[in-house]
Amino acid sequence: MLAILGVLFLGLASPAFAAQAIQSPEISSSPANASQILDRALASFSIEYGYLPSFGGNISHPNELTRRLMQRLVERTGVGPDVRPGGITIDSSQYNPDSPALTLVESSSGGIYSSTFGPALYESLNVFPSSSKFIVSVNLGNDTIKLARDEIAAAIQHLGWDRIRALELGNEPDHYAGGQRPAAWSSSDYTAQFIGWTSVLTRNLTLPKGIFQAGSFADDPPTASMTTEEIIDEGAGDTGAVEVYSQHMQVRYQFSTCDPIRDAIATLPHLVNHTNITSYVDLWKPQVAAARSVGKPLVIGEYSSVSCSGKENVTDTYGQALWLADSILYSASINITRMYMHQGATLVLQSGTQANSPGFSWYDLWYPVDSDRYGTARAGPSFVAYLLITEAVGSSGHSQLALVATPANPQLAMYAIWDKGKLSRIAILNLANRYVSTSADDAENLAVTVDISKYVSGSKVSKVQVKRMTAPGIDSKDSDTATWAGQSYTNGTANGKEVVEGLNRGQVKVGGSEGVLVILP
Ligand SMILES: *[C@@H]1O[C@H](CO)[C@@H](O)[C@H](O)[C@H]1NC(C)=O
Ligand SMILES: *[C@@H]1O[C@H](CO)[C@@H](O)[C@H](O)[C@H]1NC(C)=O
Ligand SMILES: *[C@@H]1O[C@H](CO)[C@@H](O)[C@H](O)[C@H]1NC(C)=O
Ligand SMILES: *[C@@H]1O[C@H](CO)[C@@H](O)[C@H](O)[C@H]1NC(C)=O
Ligand SMILES: *[C@@H]1O[C@H](CO)[C@@H](O)[C@H](O)[C@H]1NC(C)=O
Ligand SMILES: *[C@@H]1O[C@H](CO)[C@@H](O)[C@H](O)[C@H]1NC(C)=O
Ligand SMILES: *[C@@H]1O[C@H](CO)[C@@H](O)[C@H](O)[C@H]1NC(C)=O
Ligand SMILES: *[C@@H]1O[C@H](CO)[C@@H](O)[C@H](O)[C@H]1NC(C)=O
Ligand SMILES: *[C@@H]1O[C@H](CO)[C@@H](O)[C@H](O)[C@H]1NC(C)=O
């Protein structure tokens, strides 16, 4: 009688409590179909060149917040992230050995028309870990090779080859047509100029072979006017100058605050959706394949969730952490080698109808200095995503990753990570949208429980560790309550007591808008 009641009770309760439907998808014990070996700098940064001093400071006034936040990443992977000082302001820049760090020619509203920098600008890069590599981005837009030559020579002198990952000519050259180039400027024109300039620069500066990062195109494939596929076909790699191909994920055609139509649809439910994220990233698969076919990596040299510097109450929330974690891990699963998340500021003249005014971008992972817009310098609520990702990647330099199919749960993003060939970690992101105002009952419906016991031998189940990324809701903007393993990182150091959980009867529960990293013994 009791048993029958029990069955009846479960039968009534389970539709209302989806969290009780336990998932245990298949994970292969070998990484046979996983990604390439993960680059430990997978989660890297692009920093708008004109704002580099705000992020880095200089020798006498280093930005200690930036230094601390970067240290948190080194602790997890053993190396610093890559840093690409770049973006649209590089194409109106000029190096002058006698100039101060950075002189901007600005509009009355704070837009940057052009800039001149001197040797002291390199001091800004000093706060980044000594293991961080830099992308040296130089002016191609101006169409004057001497400007690029002098910028490369200065970088070699002040940074040294140990610190230089690659040299990059220009930012988003697919957007030059009708502005810095004639209206008919095309992919073959770019390729011809790339081949010409790289050979002159290589001869003039005695550059090593294969040192350039080619591309840096803005627009989404396949409709973009320039792509990696196309420039490879046109022979961009034929002279041996290319080390790596780059395309951006920044000018996302759906979501942008550069015009009212795309602004209206740039909402948290549209962004924090695993189906949307994967179908968008999949557009780059042919680009990855093209680069790999000539033995080169593809990187995303600049990106974020909403183009034109993000959107208030959307990209400055904890929801951005889920968007970042899923976008980066999924990109890694399709062999995108590194992702340079853009940090910077709104520039005027990005479009005649842009919603944002100048100031730090709404998507920045941290606000490096005090500002009217954001108040006190601090990490944003999305910073915790970088802790989940760097711990998922780990420090061995021998990890690989694969998306695990969970068809019963389309908003679950589950990634298996093999370290030295052995299944070692599982990252589980539950993208079901939970808001600050979501009731406890509704939140319970969004939670998913995953049975981990089948991935670990019986005697070791009690040794499994779980670290959790969570916050009051995807719309929360409070960095103090966005936590990783129970700790917040508002000022760049761990605050609070670390919480490392175990499994509950072999299972882990992942609430809506939470992420966990399951660490297998
Ligand atoms: C790899 O993928 C192939 C094709 O989908 C499949 O036949 C094979 O079983 C997979 N191997 C592993 C170890 O999962
Ligand atoms: C990723 O790289 C691995 C290892 O080289 C390879 O086996 C796999 O097929 C690649 N996947 C994609 C989508 O390129
Ligand atoms: C370093 O930064 C401080 C504070 O912004 C500034 O006053 C100083 O002039 C800078 N030093 C150099 C060499 O640019
Ligand atoms: C190139 O730089 C020169 C010197 O700063 C400037 O006068 C000119 O307007 C620039 N041209 C373009 C196309 O940006
Ligand atoms: C490189 O270019 C600079 C500036 O145009 C020139 O002064 C120098 O002679 C060139 N050096 C070589 C080795 O070609
Ligand atoms: C993203 O998801 C929403 C549902 O949350 C859907 O309405 C929208 O069309 C999707 N957008 C894109 C670009 O896939
Ligand atoms: C996510 O977006 C897809 C379209 O890409 C849509 O079909 C689905 O309903 C969305 N999921 C949620 C939970 O809104
Ligand atoms: C963002 O949210 C705050 C607080 O709810 C509100 O005052 C502000 O108007 C919102 N901004 C936008 C652009 O929606
Ligand atoms: C960061 O904040 C915590 C908590 O308020 C404090 O204990 C710690 O000293 C602060 N660290 C720094 C470097 O300011």
Side-chain angles (χ1 to χ4, degrees), residues 322 409 411-413 428-432 446-448 510-515:
L322 288 158
N409 233 302
Q411 290 308 320
L412 202 63
I428 308 171
L429 311 172
N430 180 354
L431 271 66
L446 300 175
V448 175
V510 190
S513 305
E514 286 189 338

Side-chain angles (χ1 to χ4, degrees), residues 68 490-496:
R68 287 194 293 272
T490 311
N491 67 6
T493 61
N495 188 25

Side-chain angles (χ1 to χ4, degrees), residues 184-192 217 225-227 230-231 234:
W185 165 253
S186 68
S187 178
S188 55
D189 294 322
Y190 166 83
T191 301
F217 303 131
S225 62
M226 301 183 190
T227 61
E230 217 171 338
I231 64 171
E234 289 159 359

Side-chain angles (χ1 to χ4, degrees), residues 21-25 272-275 278 322 326 330 403-415 426-433 446-452 455 508-516:
I22 295 155
Q23 309 291 320
S24 59
V272 185
N273 177 322
H274 180 61
T275 318
T278 54
L322 288 158
D326 199 24
Y330 184 70
L403 179 73
V404 177
T406 57
N409 233 302
Q411 290 308 320
L412 202 63
M414 189 161 161
Y415 298 93
I426 303 169
I428 308 171
L429 311 172
N430 180 354
L431 271 66
N433 295 176
L446 300 175
V448 175
T449 298
V450 181
D451 187 356
I452 301 296
Y455 313 124
V508 63
K509 185 168 166 182
V510 190
S513 305
E514 286 189 338
V516 298

